[in-house]
Amino acid sequence: MHGWVSVPDGAGPHPVLLMIHGGPFAQYTVGLFDETQVYTSAGYAVVYCNPRGSAGYGREHGLAIKERMGTVDLDDVLGFLDGVLASHPELDADRVGILGGSYGGYLTAWTIAHDHRFAAAVVERGFLDPEVFIGTSDIGSFFSQEYTGADPAHRVTQSPQAVVDQVRTPTLVVHSEQDLRCPLSQAERYYAALRRGGVDAELLVFPGRTTS
């Protein structure tokens, strides 16, 4: 599994951001990525990789999370993070945040329900409730069912909304008002559930914007 570590200037130890790409059938590459530049300029080290489910590594790799989202992909991103922290003493393992958008928002929300090590999380334009996503996204009804299955009982086993009561991590939920791919209701319902559960959470909505 390929991944990268972008480190800011200075000796450190640097706070760390685990960043997860969207898609999920997408990939990080060696090309210039503006988000890492912004974060490293702010003093953060950025850890990012291509877990199973990503594009660019063949059909088997891409289909590895079909109807089992939040399983091997979760293992991959956390395993990569653990390996990086063990091998890079300039990174501060006690100050780690997590963030991602779209599928990255999904896996961020899923991760913080199952792993409580993170100081904070940013869930951006997330795919957070596979059931409600069906019929409300411009991508069509096929997407949610292709990834999480046709059986509602099985879909719920892969739903961040279903395990939101397990979250303890302070979380910023970011979304755009006119996002047609991941509708705003995904963020609103997730944020409301975080607050009901006593989580330190905030919701940032960009009025009139189609992407965040």
Side-chain angles (χ1 to χ4, degrees):
M1 184 177 60
H2 292 112
W4 294 265
V5 182
S6 294
V7 181
D9 294 333
H14 305 291
V16 180
L17 297 176
L18 173 62
M19 186 168 62
I20 306 172
H21 67 62
F25 196 64
Q27 62 177 314
Y28 289 126
T29 70
V30 296
L32 178 69
F33 190 43
D34 60 337
E35 292 184 27
T36 62
Q37 303 305 309
V38 171
Y39 298 139
T40 54
S41 294
Y44 294 95
V46 185
V47 175
Y48 51 113
C49 64
N50 291 324
R52 278 171 284 185
S54 301
Y57 300 88
R59 179 177 173 82
E60 182 179 353
H61 186 95
L63 291 175
I65 62 170
K66 179 177 169 59
E67 298 190 36
R68 54 178 189 152
M69 292 181 71
T71 58
V72 294
D73 44 350
L74 174 63
D75 293 340
D76 287 351
V77 295
L78 292 181
F80 187 79
L81 174 64
D82 289 337
V84 167
L85 294 176
S87 59
H88 287 264
E90 73 274 22
L91 306 188
D92 190 345
D94 294 322
R95 292 188 295 163
V96 182
I98 182 171
L99 74 162
S102 194
Y103 162 74
Y106 166 91
L107 197 53
T108 296
W110 186 258
T111 300
I112 59 175
H114 295 87
D115 190 306
H116 306 299
R117 75 174 79 180
F118 297 98
V122 182
V123 175
E124 304 176 60
R125 59 192 185 278
F127 170 61
L128 303 173
D129 190 329
E131 189 68 31
V132 174
F133 194 85
I134 297 171
T136 63
S137 169
D138 70 348
I139 202 172
S141 61
F142 75 92
F143 181 90
S144 187
Q145 293 190 26
E146 282 296 318
Y147 270 103
T148 59
D151 178 17
H154 183 57
R155 274 201 298 272
V156 77
T157 67
Q158 303 160 80
S159 170
Q161 188 71 34
V163 292
V164 67
D165 61 327
Q166 299 173 194
V167 176
R168 303 289 178 266
T169 306
T171 302
L172 173 63
V173 182
V174 180
H175 222 94
S176 289
E177 183 181 34
Q178 300 297 326
D179 191 331
L180 301 180
R181 181 56 42 88
C182 292
L184 179 59
S185 61
Q186 296 277 305
E188 291 174 325
R189 297 182 70 251
Y190 182 73
Y191 167 72
L194 288 174
R195 292 300 299 266
R196 286 197 303 270
V199 177
D200 182 5
E202 293 188 9
L203 174 63
L204 173 61
V205 177
F206 291 94
R209 294 289 299 275
T210 57
T211 60
S212 51

